[in-house]
Amino acid sequence: MQVILRTDIAGLGYKNDILEVKAGYGRNYLIPQGFAVMATESNKKQLAENLKQASHKAEKIKKDAEDLAAAIGEMTVEIAAKAGDSGKIFGRVTSIQISEALKAKGFDVDRKKITVEDVKTIGTYKATLDLHKEVKHAVTVNVVAEA
């Protein structure tokens, strides 16, 4: 079953992508939730027209994402977490904490656009910022023990 996505869906695709999905997933989840529409000929023509009209706006959004990635650069974000003597942290470092740390440094990145590997000990990790479907940026996360 072919569908046209109306919104970005992590792990599936980005807005206005035409994707092949299983019939049950499209019919029972994506379409009723408003995340996608059937990829009929008329919907494809409408999508092409909308993309043509929105191309200038899309270029500006992409340039803004590239500028944000350039401004962030090779930044290291420091997150304090409670840890035991062995260096194992209590709880977990989440995308919310990284988003707040970036916000404190003047960069507003939505927590849903941040992916971080599983952090269980004190150390240095990489977080990926999905700023645009063509712009991804890595940030170093330094997890330290709280005093």
Side-chain angles (χ1 to χ4, degrees):
M1 164 183 236
Q2 278 195 334
V3 295
I4 301 171
L5 293 181
R6 288 182 159 176
T7 60
D8 294 350
I9 299 177
L12 186 62
Y14 296 95
K15 183 177 180 177
N16 296 328
D17 284 352
I18 298 175
L19 300 172
E20 188 73 32
V21 297
K22 291 193 175 185
Y25 183 54
R27 191 174 44 250
N28 297 326
Y29 178 69
L30 294 174
I31 294 171
Q33 295 291 326
F35 297 144
V37 293
M38 292 282 293
T40 60
E41 287 303 314
S42 63
N43 284 342
K44 287 180 183 178
K45 287 179 184 175
Q46 186 178 5
L47 173 67
E49 183 63 31
N50 289 345
L51 289 177
K52 190 172 105 178
Q53 292 177 2
S55 65
H56 180 69
K57 184 178 176 184
E59 284 298 317
K60 182 184 181 322
I61 292 170
K62 182 180 175 188
K63 182 166 178 3
D64 290 344
E66 289 171 344
D67 292 344
L68 179 61
I72 291 173
E74 297 298 318
M75 181 181 293
T76 300
V77 177
E78 196 163 286
I79 306 287
K82 291 183 180 179
D85 295 333
S86 64
K88 186 172 179 176
I89 64 172
F90 302 123
R92 172 172 276 165
V93 174
T94 63
S95 59
I96 296 170
Q97 292 169 302
I98 296 169
S99 175
E100 289 171 355
L102 285 169
K103 195 173 284 185
K105 293 190 177 196
F107 301 104
D108 190 21
V109 178
D110 185 22
R111 68 179 177 86
K112 294 176 185 168
K113 296 184 182 266
I114 299 173
T115 55
V116 63
E117 57 192 85
D118 200 21
V119 178
K120 294 184 178 182
T121 60
I122 292 174
T124 304
Y125 299 91
K126 288 283 186 199
T128 305
L129 309 179
D130 189 6
L131 303 174
H132 184 269
K133 75 179 188 179
E134 297 174 13
V135 180
K136 303 208 183 329
H137 189 71
V139 174
T140 304
V141 178
N142 190 17
V143 180
V144 296
E146 268 184 5

